[in-house]
Amino acid sequence: MLKALLLTWPTFGQALFQNLPHSFDSASGKWAFYSYQDADVAVLEGTFNRSAFDAPHEAEVSDEGLAKANVFLNQTDFVAYDERFFDIIGPKAKVKHIQHLAYQTHEAPCYNPNTKELYFTEWGPPGGQEGVHMWQYLLDTKTNKLRNITTSPPTINAHGCVVYQDALYVVTDGGPHETGSLVKVDPKTLEKTVLLNNYYQQPFMGFNDLDIDPEGNLWLTDSKSGAGRDITPFTPPTNPTVYMVNGTTMRPKAVHVTMGNANGVAVGSANGKTAVYLPDTGVSKFKPVSLKDPYGDRGLFAYDAEKGGVLANRRLLNNPISYFYDGIRVSRNGWIFVGAGDGVEVIDPETGLALGSIRVGGGDNLAVSVAFGEHELWIVGRGGVWHVTGIRDRLDRWW
């Protein structure tokens, strides 16, 4: 079908896409190769415009060929911007929308390879009790059976999760009667243990996400999202902050402060060095009204993690093609996977280039965050859960 479209679109002015590699002629998913190697991408015909939050296929264009190309683009599962994306994903990969849920935020996916279960949350209003959630989801990935769970005692407004040494490490925003916390959940008994809930008697703003490095230290983002959505009743005590928490002593150290907003965090390890990736979401404004500000911070920044958690060598790695970056994870081979609205973008950690996107169907669907299996991943967001299988590269980390 793609080859036929490529033959007809030049009649209308623009082809936009390059031919797929021959090994993708019978690919399991629907692909497009959208590369600046093609002159039709570098120089567009007619008039065109889109906001920073709209995906490329949502652009308003005058050229009929480009309009038809965008219709096809919105029908794809995978969009490659770089040839390396084909090598990472492979021709056997396919995307399936396995859980159709409410069109509101779903967050905190983490996959437990021992139980074959995916933990994730519904977050914020209009769900829960005025936006407050005392329960989470657990998906049996073998049967696709979804159930609500409540830990003992309940975990209030869970917002991020990682699996480490057979346990769930979860961060929360807190709620009307408790502050944001780092907790540990036993996946068998669902018993919850609070590990950290204060910074020298100062309450945290409300944690957004976390990751764990190879030494077992935890990196937590403390954000204004919970207060901004009125699920926590108190005024944030500081600007959004990133903490490194010693995994043995639980001693927290502030390592990054932003005037924007702290959101996702991911740790990568290569050549004996640890890198920390932080997307800033100052683009999201909450008070006096909730809105997305195109002039707010949207950048993805990379840092070298040095002794004691000191973040050095700050560099702007990427700015999203559209929307903003949310939940973020680094694969075994160092590729960065990050929720970006229309799909999950895969980013080169050295050049910062977006290599491609794994899409979630367009429309009102929205990719928020991602969790890895070995050659599969799960995407959660507005609209539910998507399962991506048959990925060529191994994704799960060694620690």
Side-chain angles (χ1 to χ4, degrees), residues 266-284:
V267 177
S269 180
N271 301 319
K273 295 184 178 180
T274 298
V276 175
Y277 303 98
L278 298 172
D280 198 308
T281 53
V283 65
S284 294

Side-chain angles (χ1 to χ4, degrees), residues 24 31-32 78-90 337 344-346 355-358:
F24 284 74
W31 283 77
F78 304 96
V79 179
Y81 304 120
D82 188 289
E83 292 176 343
R84 287 170 291 175
F85 190 62
F86 294 111
D87 295 329
I88 296 167
I89 303 300
F337 288 68
V344 170
E345 284 190 11
V346 180
L355 305 180
S357 180
I358 304 169

Side-chain angles (χ1 to χ4, degrees), residues 52-53 282-285 290-298 324:
F53 303 111
V283 65
S284 294
K285 308 295 184 183
S290 179
L291 57 84
K292 299 293 186 289
D293 178 4
Y295 305 109
D297 295 325
R298 296 193 302 140
F324 59 85

Side-chain angles (χ1 to χ4, degrees), residues 110 112 119 161-164 166-170 183-187:
C110 56
N112 187 336
Y119 170 102
C161 175
V162 292
V163 174
Y164 182 69
D166 300 327
L168 306 180
Y169 287 79
V170 177
V183 306
K184 182 179 179 180
V185 177
D186 185 316

Side-chain angles (χ1 to χ4, degrees), residues 2 57 65-66 79 94 129-130 171 178 182 201 216 261 263 272 275 279 294 303 313 358 360 370-371 375 384 395:
L2 178 59
H57 68 81
L66 183 55
V79 179
K94 55 185 177 182
Q129 295 181 339
E130 298 182 348
V171 288
E178 64 180 62
L182 166 67
Q201 301 183 46
N261 197 22
N263 197 312
Y303 301 82
N313 190 24
I358 304 169
V360 292
V370 62
H375 294 279
L395 303 179

Side-chain angles (χ1 to χ4, degrees), residues 212-224:
I212 297 182
D213 65 27
E215 287 73 43
N217 300 311
L218 301 108
W219 300 77
L220 318 180
T221 57
D222 196 23
S223 84
K224 55 189 176 185

Side-chain angles (χ1 to χ4, degrees), residues 243-257:
Y243 295 91
M244 190 203 79
V245 178
N246 184 291
T248 302
T249 66
M250 290 296 122
R251 181 179 182 178
K253 176 187 177 183
V255 296
H256 173 74
V257 179

